[in-house]
Amino acid sequence: MSELDPLFENNARWAEAIKEEDPDFFQKLARQQTPEYLWIGCSDARVPANEIVGLLPGDLFVHRNVANVVLHTDLNCLSVIQYAVDVLKVKHILVTGHYGCGGVRASMRDDQLGLIDGWLRSIRDLYYEHRVHLSKLASEEEQVDRLCELNVIQQVANVSHTTIVQNAWHRGQPLAVHGCIYGIKDGLWKNLNVTVSGLDQLPSQYRLRPPRQA
């Protein structure tokens, strides 16, 4: 017996349950992918993107990494954003962090963890920038949770500053970038009210002109 057999059995039961509810579901799913949402979230196994927002496969295009970071040097993440915006024409990008994030917590400490230390550098910089504000919070848990929120807000800005998103706005394509956070302790998904839906909401130094036509 393979150690993966329980997973294959779970999959068979799941597929059968979906087909009982909608016999044509997988045939329709195979024909096209037309999600309206791109989810950029954390790799944490406790944060199942589709289930949190009650969407089925095909409704949510997903990119996940440790601490839901969007870096201008990360070709993986940028490729996902480009495909979602330019090809799939998603209307909403949902940058979703979660409270108690281990990556955010690690960025507040001086322990060496390995390769991930470089990945978390931008959050460490964010922590340093807000250290005075965070130090006024009563407990480490409150500090971690507030930095989780600040990290989401920063990543919404990073997504909005990409040429991919700005060129969509230049084309008049409807697109909004939202910042949200998930509570593992209560299962609730919270809007941080930092939605960016146009160039006029960006600081002037980040607004880029449309590309020149050849």
Side-chain angles (χ1 to χ4, degrees), residues 22-187:
D22 181 356
D24 297 325
F25 177 81
F26 289 110
Q27 292 179 8
K28 290 184 291 186
L29 193 65
R31 285 196 293 267
Q32 60 181 350
Q33 177 180 218
T34 57
E36 291 192 8
Y37 308 95
L38 165 62
W39 174 287
I40 299 177
C42 183
S43 299
D44 193 301
R46 300 167 295 174
V47 188
N50 284 72
E51 293 179 30
I52 287 171
V53 290
L55 293 177
L56 290 169
D59 293 334
L60 196 67
F61 198 57
V62 177
H63 175 78
R64 298 172 67 166
N65 62 51
V66 175
N68 43 272
V69 173
V70 178
L71 300 176
H72 72 279
T73 54
D74 181 7
L75 296 182
N76 183 0
C77 182
L78 294 179
S79 295
V80 171
I81 296 173
Q82 188 270 325
Y83 186 79
V85 172
D86 293 350
V87 180
L88 298 177
K89 307 294 184 185
V90 299
K91 294 182 173 64
H92 304 276
I93 298 177
L94 312 173
V95 181
T96 298
H98 67 93
Y99 291 120
C101 178
V104 171
R105 189 186 302 275
S107 71
M108 299 172 64
R109 297 177 175 174
D110 58 6
D111 302 317
Q112 276 200 46
L113 298 174
L115 184 62
I116 196 172
D117 294 324
W119 178 257
L120 296 176
R121 174 60 186 272
S122 65
I123 308 179
R124 192 178 297 277
D125 292 341
L126 190 66
Y127 173 55
Y128 184 78
E129 179 184 347
H130 294 278
R131 67 193 183 283
V132 175
H133 160 65
L134 293 169
S135 68
K136 296 176 182 177
L137 299 176
S139 67
E140 182 187 17
E141 287 306 309
E142 290 178 275
Q143 293 175 16
V144 170
D145 286 350
R146 180 54 182 155
L147 187 56
C148 288
E149 294 179 340
L150 292 171
N151 181 47
V152 169
I153 293 168
Q154 181 60 58
Q155 305 316 321
V156 167
N158 290 351
V159 173
S160 301
H161 297 166
T162 65
T163 56
I164 302 162
V165 169
Q166 292 194 35
N167 284 338
W169 288 331
H170 282 308
R171 294 192 299 267
Q173 184 175 331
L175 180 64
V177 185
H178 310 270
C180 306
I181 195 158
Y182 175 68
I184 291 176
K185 293 180 180 179
D186 60 16

